[in-house]
Each structure stands twice: as structure tokens, then as C-alpha cells.
Amino acid sequence: MDDGIYMDYSAGKPLEARCLEAMRPYFLKHFGNPSSLHLFGGEPRQALQRAREQVAQLIGARLPEEILFTSGATESSNLAIKGVALRARGKNHVITSEIEHVSVLNICKFLENQGFKITHLPVDRFGMVDLERLTAEVRDETILITLQYANNEIGTLQPIAEVGELARSRGIYFHVDAVAAVGQVPIDVEREKIDLLSFSANDLYGPKGVGALYVRKGTRVIPVMQGGGQEFGLRSGTEDIPGIVGLGVAAEMAREELEGEAQRLSRLRDKLIEGVTGRIRNSYLNGHPTRRLSNNAHFRFDYIEGESLILSLSMLGVAAATGSACTSKTLEPSRTLLRIGLTEEQAHGSLLFALGKSSTEAEVDYILDHLPKVVDRLRAMSPFTPKEYFSGR
Ligand code: PMP
């Protein structure tokens, strides 16, 4: 707590020391190219295989060869979505949701410009897609459904296994953006009938700039980058062995720690949610009350702006977020919050606490002690606060 309270774990996570230690020899000693046939290619090649096994185990993949390494979720989703769509002959329809991460939405926009038809499923006030609506949108031309496992802003978990069942029964590929969920929720690509799954190593406290794509054996994908044919011909370019080693160890640690950490964090999350909504009038939880990530507490407060809350909290040593770090440079209100039915004012008055490994009960208590005073002070200064608010105290 001396270094401040970090509650922005959805924007970035520190690297686990165990990952760093495992990576170190692959920068200095085992620097060879895994494609080399001589001695120096051997250890990097083995490390690559080990990391595939570690990642496959985390997500329940049957074969290590179903794991490809990339530079992160953005690249994985490009390969998955474009790779499937551009390979499909005669089928030109893709289904996604209205609250996907901008990376997936922009890939879909690219495909739309290439002549594909894209259906954006609406979500309810909790951020969930409707299975009946999804079923109704499926056509003979549908090649792919791409859906996030969990929303990175409001934390809502989608009905992944049910969508997987539907996709499989209709012969449609199913891609999942698992960035927000991996390491937080037990993912099982077999049970959930997922064909392609994207995430980044940093989501698991691994290094930044490396990620993975799960591709079920037999899935028809074409590469989107041409080159030397590494990663089973699907992702050319010399492999980032240290990064991949770090991802493998991070996946192994996540598998060991997932259950205990999810329980610990959901208890802290619930304390924060009950404390904030109980102590601060006109404050509300955004997202689903129960089907949500164990580390996500997303609120909105009437009459004030999230940005001023962030700055006031920052002065008290607390780092929280207003929404997605990837779109924070725009002053636009969050699309996700508008799509779940919030007004622009409500969207601007929202705040996310994303908990993680360093989060403690003492930190939650500190926030619960200080946030009500901060909110009161900002409301007292805000021209939007009605007079009755103060007389009602
Ligand atoms: N999907 C979601 C839900 C995200 O939050 C992010 C950003 N962290 C991405 C995809 C893109 O991930 P990356 O920037 O690691 O490629």
C-alpha cells in the first residue's frame, strides 16, 4: 500500500518474478533460433514445445499443436477472424456482439469493407447477449461467431458454453476473445466447444507483447502474414522464445492459483460493491450482479464525472479506471456503457476498480473510507447535483 493502491489490473499487470527468472536464460544463453538444426536450436525448440503444453493445459486443449504464439490478443484475433473468414468459400456472414473490444470490432469492420456481412448482437442491461436472438441471426452463409468471454469494462460473462453448443450444432466456427477472462475463470475449450481463442500473456501476469491463439485441429484458417512458415505455417516470423517461455510459466502459475485467487478476489469485490453502493447514495453497480469477473467492481455515480473521480482518487494514492485503457485517448463515452442502456452522463460518471494479486482487504477498507468523502466533495462542486440531494442528508 506504501506505493499506492493499484486497482487498474485490466489495463496492465506486473510480470511474475518466476516468469522473469524462467525467461532470463533464453535472452542470454539459449539464444539460438528454434528452426536451426544444430545444437543451438535444440533448447529453444524444447522450450517452445514446453510452453505449448503449459498453455494447452490451462485452457483444456487436447493437443499442444493447437496452440500458436503471436504478439498478443490483437494479432491472435486478426488471425482467427480474418483467417477463417477469408478461407471460407461461399460463406460471408459473421456474428459478433455490440460490446466487443475495439480490436475485434475493427477486424469485423475490415471484413465488412471486403464485402462480408456482419451482425452485431445487442446486449441486455447487464451486458449479456440473448441466445434466442443469436439463434435467429444464424444463416446458411454464417461462417463464424466471435464473442468475448468476459467484458473488459463491466466484467459480464457471456454464456460461452451455450453459444459453443449452438455454433457446433450449426457447423459454424466459434472464436472467443478471452483477454479479460483467462486466468480468472476456468476455461475449457473442449467442454465449451470453442474453436479459436485469443489472449495475451500479460493477462496472466506474463510479459507484454506476446500472446496465444488456440486453433482447434481441423479448423480451416489461412495465414494473414506471409513469411517463413513458422507456427505450423500460420504465423510466420522468428519466435519470441523468452516471451513464449514467460507465457508458458504464467499459464502454469495461473492454473495453480486460479481457484484460490478467484475466491479471494470475489470476496474483496463483493465487499467493495456492498460498501460502495451501501454507503454512497445514487451509486450503482454496472454489469451483471452475479455473472461477473471475480476481480471487477464497476460503478456509476450520479452528478459527477469519472475523470474527476480518477484524479481525486489518484491524489489519495488509488489508481482506478474509467473504462478501457485502449480507448481512453478519446473523450467519447464508453460504447459498452451506452449499449447496456446508460445515458452519456451516466457513462461519464462511471468508475472501474479492477482487482488483482496485490489487492488486500486493507486496500478495500481504505477505498471505502475515502470514496464517500470524495464523491460528496465532487457533488458539492458539480452544477448537476440537485439541491434536494444535500437537504436529503
Ligand atoms: N480484447 C480485450 C477484451 C482487451 O481488453 C484487450 C486489451 N487488453 C484486447 C482484446 C487486445 O489485447 P492486446 O492489446 O494485448 O493485443
Side-chain angles (χ1 to χ4, degrees):
M1 221 155 101
D2 291 348
D3 298 333
I5 297 178
Y6 186 70
M7 291 259 174
D8 195 9
Y9 274 96
S10 62
K13 297 182 172 73
L15 179 68
E16 273 293 341
R18 216 172 109 188
C19 294
L20 182 60
E21 287 318 312
M23 291 164 72
R24 196 187 299 272
Y26 292 90
F27 286 111
L28 302 171
K29 188 162 173 233
H30 310 302
F31 54 81
N33 190 316
S35 297
S36 297
L37 297 177
H38 55 62
L39 201 63
F40 288 80
E43 179 51 45
R45 202 158 45 243
Q46 280 173 25
L48 199 51
Q49 178 63 15
R50 204 159 43 240
R52 275 193 228 290
E53 287 164 10
Q54 287 162 320
V55 173
Q57 280 203 4
L58 176 68
I59 61 167
R62 267 179 314 144
L63 307 167
E65 294 72 33
E66 292 176 320
I67 307 300
L68 309 185
F69 295 111
T70 66
S71 63
T74 300
E75 187 192 330
S76 297
S77 295
N78 269 272
L79 175 53
I81 302 172
K82 287 184 202 162
V84 162
L86 299 175
R87 167 81 196 257
R89 298 266 174 268
K91 292 194 172 192
N92 67 347
H93 180 228
V94 174
I95 301 177
T96 189
S97 88
E98 282 187 326
I99 62 164
E100 294 303 304
H101 185 261
V102 65
S103 55
V104 168
L105 288 176
N106 281 341
I107 299 166
C108 290
K109 201 181 278 176
F110 167 85
L111 287 178
E112 202 161 28
N113 290 336
Q114 304 294 309
F116 283 81
K117 304 274 181 277
I118 312 289
T119 297
H120 292 90
L121 290 174
V123 292
D124 65 15
R125 68 194 174 100
F126 299 127
M128 299 258 299
V129 297
D130 177 47
L131 284 168
E132 277 180 29
R133 176 73 184 259
L134 171 58
T135 310
E137 295 290 354
V138 170
R139 316 173 189 164
D140 290 344
E141 304 80 53
T142 311
I143 179 72
L144 179 74
I145 298 172
T146 175
L147 195 61
Q148 59 193 194
Y149 204 110
N151 186 270
N152 54 304
E153 289 175 58
I154 56 174
T156 300
L157 296 162
Q158 296 297 349
I160 293 298
E162 289 84 346
V163 176
E165 186 67 48
L166 169 73
R168 182 68 57 82
S169 71
R170 302 294 297 265
I172 301 166
Y173 286 133
F174 182 29
H175 168 250
V176 173
D177 169 359
V179 164
V182 72
Q184 311 262 357
V185 180
I187 294 176
D188 188 327
V189 291
E190 286 300 322
R191 187 173 46 78
E192 296 168 302
K193 300 189 168 59
I194 296 168
D195 299 306
L196 304 121
L197 181 114
S198 306
F199 63 91
S200 299
N202 191 236
D203 304 320
L204 300 169
Y205 297 84
K208 293 184 176 66
V210 57
L213 175 64
Y214 162 78
V215 184
R216 177 178 297 281
K217 191 170 180 216
T219 305
R220 293 192 179 143
V221 190
I222 56 164
V224 293
M225 244 171 23
Q226 278 59 49
Q230 288 89 341
E231 295 298 273
F232 316 107
L234 284 176
R235 201 280 186 172
S236 287
T238 303
E239 301 85 344
D240 169 11
I241 298 295
I244 291 168
V245 167
L247 167 52
V249 172
E252 195 174 292
M253 290 184 72
R255 200 161 63 89
E256 289 162 7
E257 295 173 4
L258 194 148
E259 202 183 320
E261 193 58 5
Q263 272 181 22
R264 189 183 78 84
L265 289 181
S266 48
R267 214 175 49 75
L268 293 182
R269 173 201 66 189
D270 292 345
K271 179 169 183 176
L272 192 54
I273 292 173
E274 279 158 30
V276 168
T277 53
R279 290 181 203 192
I280 304 177
R281 279 188 298 149
N282 299 61
S283 69
Y284 315 89
L285 179 71
N286 290 326
H288 200 283
T290 53
R291 286 187 56 93
R292 67 185 304 127
L293 289 172
S294 50
N295 74 329
N296 178 297
H298 197 294
F299 302 103
R300 67 178 190 277
F301 303 90
D302 287 346
Y303 322 129
I304 46 180
E305 297 217 308
E307 279 78 10
S308 40
L309 263 175
I310 298 278
L311 294 176
S312 303
L313 284 173
S314 179
M315 287 197 286
L316 293 167
V318 180
T322 47
S324 168
C326 308
T327 43
S328 67
K329 286 191 192 70
T330 71
L331 289 174
E332 299 284 301
S334 146
R335 192 191 45 251
T336 299
L337 296 180
L338 297 181
R339 293 293 181 268
I340 62 170
L342 302 198
T343 62
E344 289 206 7
E345 290 72 33
Q346 288 171 328
H348 277 303
S350 292
L351 184 69
L352 165 64
F353 294 103
L355 290 79
K357 279 193 190 177
S358 71
S359 304
T360 61
E361 185 144 14
E363 292 183 346
V364 169
D365 288 337
Y366 181 88
I367 291 169
L368 291 178
D369 272 352
H370 289 81
L371 188 60
K373 292 176 234 165
V374 170
V375 169
D376 254 358
R377 193 166 48 76
L378 292 173
R379 281 179 175 164
M381 294 188 310
S382 163
F384 302 110
T385 313
K387 287 206 175 52
E388 307 79 74
Y389 176 79
F390 298 105
S391 56
R393 274 197 277 202

